[in-house]
């Protein structure tokens, strides 16, 4: 009962303290005074109050703050301009590195800029840029959280939906679009402040069997070859039925992307482990960013209820074990429950959870990851808690190309187009086009 009481109290205190602060701010007395002196005077709210004489309403259109904080973003952009406009301004001012021209296309100001706490450059969760920020520090790590802490958590409210999708990467976004088309009431939940997940970081290409670019180039390919290649790479331990589904539906997936206005070209050479050229790519660089930039507007247009800064901490189930909803920890709204007819987990990997990497594959303990900051394996933990069967967790893939001492990945296309791997003596030591499960051990 102590745990229950503490969790419930936390949720209530979070909401109450916010309300008090905003109410005071609207009265134009204690709210402003709170950020005039001491450490809080160094935050953005203090600067707006002291230097500009602004009250809380300048940033906050109402006394409550949504978890996605889009209403605050809108007010930021009224004064400062959009993400794209700020990027152009940085370029005009001669900045070689601009946080407003990054490959993540962050459209939310509050992703980096915080009004009531230290700000931080989201880019530096992966990079090591010298990117000083006003009112901030360089990096705030997104650490994995033990979700068992919420096992007995009591939500402060409930709502309903047809489908809840957990994870706002490529898979979750596409699922939300299609389910909305099917007439379902969909809520998409993403714990990070931006959409895209690991998809945003994809820099290589999309393997497609029987695509128009393949046919136009005279490449003969088929699903059986796709399956054979995949089984060879997986040393026969992968699920052959799932591989066949992936290969069979790959061209439909690409044509779906084309229907959004996307267009990819065939990589001329064979990519690691493939019999035939089948990887499609974009000349703009960064296929993941390109695809997300096409998919996200379609998601918005679909009418799905999309919420970032919204972390699912528990799956709700009935006595029979049927999953009936989720418990969400909203950044500003606290703990709440969504009851649903179905829950889709699209949460991705655990590649940025060092403890799990070391647990399932000890040889990689302490290795630097190029994964996105939120890849903590939350979906695995959530599903396991309600009895889901979990397979192949020991199959950790190591990407062979990363800039030494950083978390920056260098795309495989470098090797496809003539790049070579050498050791510290400058000597080649491995087939540059070998599969990753051969290259990784050879490099180690």
């Amino acid at each position: 009962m102590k745990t229950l009481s503490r969790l419930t109290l936390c949720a209530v205190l979070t909401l109450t303290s916010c309300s008090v602060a905003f109410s005071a701010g609207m009265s134009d007395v204690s709210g402003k005074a709170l950020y005039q002196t001491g450490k809080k005077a160094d935050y953005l709210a203090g600067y707006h109050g002291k230097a500009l004489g602004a009250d809380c309403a300048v940033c906050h259109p109402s006394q409550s703050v949504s978890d996605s904080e889009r209403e605050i973003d809108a007010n930021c952009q009224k004064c400062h301009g959009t993400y794209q406009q700020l990027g152009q301004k940085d370029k005009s001012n001669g900045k070689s590195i601009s946080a407003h021209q990054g490959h993540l296309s962050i459209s939310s100001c509050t992703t980096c800029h915080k009004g009531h706490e230290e700000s931080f450059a989201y880019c530096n969760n992966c990079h090591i840029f010298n990117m000083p920020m006003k009112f901030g520090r360089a990096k705030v790590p997104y650490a994995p959280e033990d979700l068992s802490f919420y096992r007995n958590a009591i939500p402060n409210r409930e709502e309903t939906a047809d489908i809840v999708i957990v994870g706002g990467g490529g898979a979750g976004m596409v699922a939300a679009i299609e389910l909305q088309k099917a007439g379902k009431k969909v809520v998409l939940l993403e714990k990070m402040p931006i959409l895209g997940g690991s998809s945003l970081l994809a820099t290589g290409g999309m393997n497609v069997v029987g695509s128009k670019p393949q046919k136009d180039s005279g490449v003969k390919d088929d699903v059986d070859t796709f399956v054979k290649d995949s089984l060879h790479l997986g040393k026969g331990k992968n699920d052959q039925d799932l591989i066949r589904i992936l290969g069979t539906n790959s061209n439909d997936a690409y044509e779906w992307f084309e229907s959004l206005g996307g267009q990819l070209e065939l990589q001329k050479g064979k990519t690691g482990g493939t019999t035939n050229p089948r990887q499609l790519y974009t000349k703009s660089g960064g296929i993941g960013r390109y695809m997300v930039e096409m998919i996200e507007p379609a998601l918005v247009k679909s009418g799905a209820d999309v919420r970032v800064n919204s972390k699912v901490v528990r799956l709700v189930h009935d006595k029979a074990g049927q999953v009936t909803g989720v418990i969400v920890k909203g950044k500003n709204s606290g703990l709440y429950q969504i009851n649903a007819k179905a829950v889709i987990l699209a949460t991705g990997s655990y590649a940025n959870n060092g403890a799990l990497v070391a647990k399932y594959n000890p040889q990689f303990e302490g290795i630097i990851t190029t994964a996105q900051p939120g890849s903590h394996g939350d979906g695995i933990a959530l599903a396991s808690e309600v009895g889901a069967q979990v397979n192949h967790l020991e199959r950790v893939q190591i990407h062979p190309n990363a800039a030494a001492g950083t978390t920056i990945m260098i795309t495989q296309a470098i090797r496809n187009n003539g790049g070579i791997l050498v050791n510290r003596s400058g000597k080649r030591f491995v087939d540059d086009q070998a599969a990753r499960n051969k290259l990784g051990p050879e490099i180690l």
Side-chain angles (χ1 to χ4, degrees):
M1 289 303 294
K2 288 183 179 179
T3 302
L4 286 172
S5 300
R6 185 170 69 251
L7 282 168
T8 308
L9 185 60
C10 283
V12 174
L13 284 176
T14 300
L15 292 171
T16 305
S17 59
C18 284
S19 299
V20 169
F22 291 130
S23 297
M26 297 307 174
S27 69
D28 217 12
V29 183
S30 57
K32 287 175 65 176
L34 185 65
Y35 293 95
Q36 294 290 327
T37 59
K39 184 178 180 180
K40 291 187 176 182
D42 293 331
Y43 301 152
L44 271 175
Y47 172 78
H48 282 88
K50 288 187 299 181
L52 305 177
D55 60 24
C56 300
V58 170
C59 293
H60 300 287
S62 67
Q63 293 187 12
S64 63
V65 182
S66 70
D67 294 323
S68 298
E69 299 179 338
R70 293 189 184 94
E71 69 280 5
I72 299 176
D73 293 330
N75 280 351
C76 292
Q77 292 173 19
K78 284 179 184 178
C79 295
H80 300 284
T82 65
Y83 180 82
Q84 290 77 16
Q85 289 169 338
L86 287 168
Q88 287 299 318
K89 183 179 178 181
D90 288 343
K91 185 177 181 180
S92 299
N93 290 337
K95 288 188 177 181
S96 58
I97 297 175
S98 170
H100 304 111
Q101 288 187 311
H103 61 94
L104 298 183
S105 299
I106 299 172
S107 58
S108 168
C109 307
T110 56
T111 297
C112 299
H113 302 283
K114 312 295 181 182
H116 306 286
E117 58 189 72
E118 289 177 300
S119 299
F120 70 97
Y122 189 88
C123 305
N124 278 342
N125 281 297
C126 297
H127 296 276
I128 50 174
F129 294 143
N130 179 19
M131 193 181 289
M133 289 184 68
K134 291 181 179 179
F135 324 109
R137 58 181 183 263
K139 178 178 179 179
V140 174
Y142 286 89
E145 186 177 15
D146 183 0
L147 299 184
S148 66
F149 178 76
Y150 300 95
R151 190 169 293 153
N152 298 312
I154 299 177
N156 59 47
R157 62 184 173 86
E158 292 188 22
E159 56 184 272
T160 60
D162 291 326
I163 313 286
V164 169
I165 300 172
V166 187
M173 295 166 73
V174 172
I177 292 169
E178 290 302 297
L179 286 165
Q180 281 288 133
K181 285 182 183 177
K184 304 300 181 184
K185 178 184 177 183
V186 178
V187 178
L188 174 65
L189 301 167
E190 168 57 51
K191 72 174 182 180
M192 303 301 283
I194 61 174
L195 294 171
S198 298
S199 300
L200 271 177
L201 302 185
T203 55
M206 177 182 183
N207 282 325
V208 180
V209 179
S211 67
K212 187 176 184 298
Q214 264 190 327
K215 293 175 181 177
D216 290 345
S217 298
V219 176
K220 295 182 179 180
D221 198 11
D222 55 59
V223 175
D224 287 339
T225 305
F226 179 92
V227 172
K228 181 181 177 181
D229 289 344
S230 300
L231 286 171
H232 176 70
L233 291 174
K235 298 181 179 179
K237 295 184 181 298
N238 27 6
D239 189 317
Q240 184 168 334
D241 292 336
L242 291 179
I243 295 171
R244 186 166 293 279
I245 289 171
L246 185 64
T248 301
N249 290 283
S250 60
N251 191 51
D252 286 343
Y254 174 57
E255 290 181 352
W256 180 91
F257 178 63
E258 279 189 313
S259 73
L260 301 183
Q263 188 170 2
L264 302 175
E265 299 183 37
L266 183 67
Q267 187 74 254
K268 298 299 183 183
K270 301 175 185 178
T271 53
T274 61
T275 299
N276 304 308
R278 67 170 69 103
Q279 188 177 86
L280 305 183
Y281 78 109
T282 171
K283 287 184 177 179
S284 66
I287 186 172
R289 174 190 175 184
Y290 175 64
M291 296 186 84
V292 169
E293 285 178 343
M294 291 287 180
I295 295 171
E296 188 170 353
L299 175 64
V300 173
K301 186 178 179 181
S302 75
D305 185 348
V306 180
R307 307 176 192 179
V308 296
N309 296 317
S310 301
K311 182 176 184 175
V312 173
V313 296
R314 198 178 86 213
L315 298 180
V316 180
H317 60 89
D318 58 24
K319 293 180 180 180
Q322 179 72 33
V323 174
T324 59
V326 297
I327 302 290
V328 187
K329 183 172 76 171
K331 179 179 179 181
N332 300 305
S333 63
L335 293 169
Y336 64 94
Q337 181 169 325
I338 305 179
N339 300 312
K341 298 173 184 176
V343 175
I344 295 175
L345 293 180
T347 55
S349 78
Y350 64 84
N352 218 321
N353 188 329
L356 287 183
V357 171
K359 175 182 177 180
Y360 294 117
N361 206 317
Q363 67 171 319
F364 297 138
E365 182 175 4
I367 200 165
I368 292 174
T369 178
T370 61
Q372 66 102 356
S375 293
H376 297 151
D378 289 351
I380 296 169
L382 292 168
S384 298
E385 182 75 13
V386 295
Q389 178 181 336
V390 181
N391 298 322
H392 299 309
L393 293 187
E394 74 283 2
R395 302 293 169 188
V396 178
Q397 175 179 259
I398 299 299
H399 196 287
N401 304 351
T406 76
T407 57
I408 302 170
M409 187 180 75
I410 301 170
T411 177
Q412 180 177 306
I414 295 292
R415 288 183 287 110
N416 296 341
N417 290 279
I420 62 172
L421 295 170
V422 298
N423 62 20
R424 64 182 61 193
S425 299
K427 296 181 178 180
R428 300 178 75 170
F429 62 97
V430 69
D431 174 11
D432 307 297
Q433 293 298 318
R436 293 179 189 177
N437 58 14
K438 176 174 175 57
L439 288 174
E442 289 287 349
I443 290 171
L444 289 176

